[in-house]
Amino acid sequence: MTDRLRIALAQLNPVVGALAANRELGRKALADAAAAGADILLLPELFLTGYFPEDLLLKPQFVADAMAAARELAAATRGTNVSLLLPTVWQHDGLLYNAVVLAEDGEIVAARFKRELPNDDVFFEKRYFASGPLAEPLTIKGVSIGVPICEDIWHAEVCAHLVDNGARLLLCPNGSPYWRNKQDTRKRLVKDRVREDNVPMLYLNQVGGQDELVYDGASFAIEPGGRLALQGRSFEPDFIVSDWHNTDNGWRCVDGVVRDLPSVDETPWRACVLGLRDYVHKNGFRTVVLGLSGGIDSAVVAAMATDALGPENVHCLMLPYRYTSEASLADAKACAERLGVRYDVVPIGSPVDAVNAELEPLFRDRLPDITEENLQSRLRGVVLMAVSNKFGSLLVTTGNKSEMAVGYATLYGDMNGGFNPLKDLLKMQVYRLAAWRNAHMPGDCLGPAGEVIPQAIIDKAPSAELRPNQTDQDSLPPYPVLDAILEGLVEEELSVREVVARGFDLATVKRVEKLLYLAEFKRRQAAPGVKMTKKALGLGRKYPITNGYRDDSGSHPPAAPLPGLKRQGVE
């Protein structure tokens, strides 16, 4: 048995379903590991298929092709001294598993299966996989190594069983998506397992965007005593090589890089940028187009798109009508100039007036109302989709979570688009991000430094500008109030009574709850967007469209709590 190991963690960005491309990505990592003199190479969870392949797993040919790709990548270990821990799907005795196979000298010599299968708002692994048994450690280079897979480490008995059966190191591949405070949550979890079992754990995470999820990487290792032995990059691929020695106190890292992580203010920006970039590129686009209104949301999205793709790949359109203010025209132009993106003005006055004229005989007995306002938004959507079609650019939409929660958006209008980086950011969070971006240059971003969002955009009252002198607060509570109520109703699943107890007006809370429920049909038709919280609207919060329930708890005395009932995700 050796008393020294060099372990390589390949924090990579695979594409779901791209078996051949992922195999080649793994082959390059294997070559890098061999060149670095690594004894062991670990790849992220379900690396070959990408995480998570969803109902591709119900397609027998896909599973067969994935297993063939695994054997091909395993064959590439021949002639190297690298032991490859390859996470992939694997069939055994007629059952499909989320697995890690061990490949050495060109052959698959062992397999271990994930035991604890998540079945939550993001991943439904029980729909596809059988649960594996409590696994035994693998012997690699004479060392007993446990390989718990992602969710396994959330269950103490899995790691305890591995250590009780001789594991002296734990190597854990993960597909763990980002949301607020997730990096701290992971480290607390791993520290708990290391403290309980008294062996080090190396935690490898995937990086990259996959539809609405963003995997932030930030792989790390924790030793007994709680020392951070290594720390990989966040929101970027990384190849992390560390040296481990077997000491009198067990295996310890003697050479491991610890990189600085982005601040809590930078991480949401980086998540949105990475999610947008990968959605664009992985779906075969190069450029994006968006409406730049002179308001805060579209300005922030324009800045994110520029950071993600570079200014040469971003096209902004101002689509003015008679209610568009001179300030908005000036602010939109200034924002585009600061970002260095293409900017065009396409007035919508003629098409709006033409449609209104055609409808006048039908509407003559009715006063103008929200119908005419929505018509402006929908014709802007038509123009943006036309530009998207003509130039092959992905249309990016710009609605924030506050507006999407209460339905303050026009279906088939400003909701048009293929992706929305702000979808899980409340309005006040958008303002904070704008101020932060003006003062900082994020890592791995392609846009210019400096005040890219004019201060005038940040300072002015938000308005859809669909009628004279309109502001958002004509229709909604002030955004600080609305956001706080939504935090309670959505993020925390509080009752109306509990939200009111925080100092909010009962009628306002009830109105927000009503709007929240009524807008579900719109959200079902909304573009995908980056999931930033556990309760993203859509991926994270699944409510029925047809829904007769209303919470009357604020109108009568509180009922006695049900014994033993805990609010999921809160207590």
Side-chain angles (χ1 to χ4, degrees):
M1 179 182 74
T2 183
D3 61 359
R4 298 187 177 193
L5 285 173
R6 177 166 290 179
I7 301 173
L9 305 181
Q11 181 176 291
L12 300 177
N13 186 352
V15 177
V16 165
L19 299 174
N22 296 341
R23 181 196 62 214
E24 293 310 303
L25 191 62
R27 197 187 298 271
K28 182 182 183 304
L30 184 60
D32 291 343
D39 299 295
I40 300 171
L41 170 63
L42 178 64
L43 299 177
E45 183 178 12
L46 285 185
F47 168 75
L48 272 178
T49 62
Y51 197 82
F52 189 71
E54 301 184 28
D55 278 11
L56 281 172
L57 294 170
L58 301 180
K59 196 173 191 66
Q61 187 61 52
F62 176 76
V63 172
D65 289 346
M67 293 180 67
R71 293 187 179 97
E72 291 166 2
L73 184 52
T77 61
R78 185 172 290 112
T80 76
N81 190 46
V82 180
S83 298
L84 172 63
L85 289 169
L86 171 58
T88 182
V89 297
W90 203 251
Q91 275 188 329
H92 180 70
D93 290 340
L95 298 175
L96 186 65
Y97 293 95
N98 181 337
V100 172
V101 298
L102 172 62
E104 296 177 331
D105 197 25
E107 302 291 336
I108 293 175
V109 298
R112 293 293 183 267
F113 305 138
K114 187 173 184 177
R115 176 177 176 83
E116 301 295 341
L117 304 177
N119 195 49
D120 54 24
D121 59 343
V122 176
F123 302 122
F124 297 92
E125 291 199 22
K126 290 183 179 180
R127 175 176 170 87
Y128 311 103
F129 295 126
S131 175
L134 282 169
E136 304 300 310
L138 294 164
T139 301
I140 306 175
K141 304 294 191 285
V143 181
S144 183
I145 295 177
V147 188
I149 303 173
C150 199
E151 184 77 12
D152 285 342
I153 67 171
W154 291 79
H155 302 265
E157 65 271 23
V158 176
C159 294
H161 179 83
L162 287 165
V163 173
D164 289 346
N165 283 274
R168 293 298 169 255
L169 280 168
L170 298 176
L171 273 61
C172 180
N174 293 267
S176 176
Y178 166 85
W179 54 69
R180 195 165 55 205
N181 301 321
K182 189 69 172 292
Q183 294 177 354
D184 289 341
T185 300
R186 296 184 194 121
K187 283 196 172 75
R188 286 197 301 270
L189 169 70
V190 171
K191 285 180 178 179
D192 286 345
R193 294 293 90 85
V194 170
R195 184 182 64 253
E196 294 159 1
D197 300 318
N198 201 36
V199 298
M201 182 184 296
L202 288 77
Y203 182 106
L204 171 63
N205 194 25
Q206 179 176 311
V207 70
Q210 170 57 33
D211 295 345
E212 296 187 88
L213 298 179
V214 170
Y215 300 92
D216 54 314
S219 305
F220 63 94
I222 300 289
E223 290 180 347
R227 184 175 85 94
L228 181 67
L230 62 89
Q231 175 66 68
R233 292 185 176 93
S234 189
F235 300 106
E236 300 177 53
D238 205 355
F239 192 78
I240 310 157
V241 178
S242 56
D243 289 325
W244 296 76
H245 289 182
N246 191 10
T247 71
D248 292 341
N249 294 318
W251 284 90
R252 295 294 185 269
C253 182
V254 297
D255 185 12
V257 64
V258 176
R259 304 188 189 278
D260 292 333
L261 292 176
S263 69
V264 294
D265 297 312
E266 182 177 352
T267 51
W269 188 274
R270 295 285 298 277
C272 290
V273 166
L274 179 56
L276 175 59
R277 177 188 294 147
D278 275 2
Y279 191 86
V280 170
H281 289 161
K282 290 182 179 181
N283 286 288
F285 292 93
R286 184 178 57 85
T287 60
V288 298
V289 61
L290 65 138
L292 190 61
S293 68
I296 187 68
D297 297 320
S298 63
V300 168
V301 170
M304 287 177 171
T306 305
D307 279 352
L309 307 169
E312 69 278 9
N313 294 312
V314 180
H315 185 184
C316 292
L317 272 72
M318 159 56 85
L319 304 159
Y321 188 54
R322 67 185 61 164
Y323 306 125
T324 303
S325 67
E326 290 299 321
S328 291
L329 287 164
D331 292 341
K333 183 179 180 182
C335 184
E337 289 175 345
R338 294 183 187 193
L339 292 169
V341 301
R342 177 177 173 179
Y343 176 73
D344 290 301
V345 178
V346 181
I348 62 166
S350 295
V352 170
D353 292 344
V355 173
N356 278 328
E358 293 296 328
L359 290 171
E360 195 276 334
L362 190 63
F363 291 173
R364 67 169 55 129
D365 295 330
R366 296 176 181 267
L367 294 174
D369 57 15
I370 195 173
T371 306
E372 286 74 17
E373 295 179 21
N374 286 341
L375 185 59
Q376 299 167 51
S377 179
R378 290 187 172 119
L379 284 170
R380 288 188 173 107
V382 168
V383 173
L384 288 167
M385 283 304 306
V387 173
S388 171
N389 291 161
K390 183 63 71 175
F391 294 100
S393 299
L394 177 73
L395 175 56
V396 179
T397 186
T398 63
N400 62 71
K401 187 174 187 175
S402 304
E403 295 168 355
M404 294 303 301
V406 295
Y408 195 66
T410 303
L411 200 58
Y412 321 124
D414 57 321
M415 288 176 63
N416 278 8
F419 196 76
N420 180 3
L422 300 187
K423 186 175 182 179
D424 201 22
L425 288 168
L426 295 167
K427 186 76 169 190
M428 298 311 297
Q429 292 172 328
V430 175
Y431 278 109
R432 287 193 290 273
L433 278 178
W436 180 88
R437 178 60 178 87
N438 278 349
H440 299 83
M441 183 62 201
D444 194 34
C445 288
L446 304 175
E451 189 180 272
V452 293
I453 300 169
Q455 189 63 38
I457 291 178
I458 298 174
D459 291 341
K460 69 182 176 185
S463 171
E465 294 191 328
L466 299 174
R467 62 177 181 266
N469 304 314
Q470 181 185 22
T471 69
D472 290 5
Q473 267 55 75
D474 297 339
S475 305
L476 300 174
Y479 279 115
V481 174
L482 176 61
D483 286 359
I485 292 172
L486 290 172
E487 283 273 4
L489 293 177
V490 175
E491 309 298 338
E492 301 176 67
E493 293 286 8
L494 297 181
S495 68
V496 166
R497 176 187 302 282
E498 290 170 309
V499 176
V500 170
R502 293 181 171 181
F504 298 103
D505 171 67
L506 173 61
T508 301
V509 176
K510 290 288 293 178
R511 178 166 168 256
V512 171
E513 183 211 33
K514 178 181 179 181
L515 292 172
L516 178 65
Y517 286 155
L518 289 177
E520 185 64 36
F521 82 100
K522 288 187 179 182
R523 293 191 292 270
R524 292 288 184 96
Q525 301 178 66
V530 178
K531 178 179 169 68
M532 304 289 287
T533 66
K534 292 190 72 172
K535 290 290 184 178
L537 298 174
L539 191 64
R541 182 182 184 275
K542 302 181 187 299
Y543 271 64
I545 295 173
T546 305
N547 175 14
Y549 176 73
R550 297 295 181 269
D551 180 356
D552 292 325
S553 63
S555 305
H556 51 74
L562 297 174
L565 183 64
K566 293 184 177 181
R567 183 179 293 110
Q568 184 178 0
V570 176
E571 298 176 329

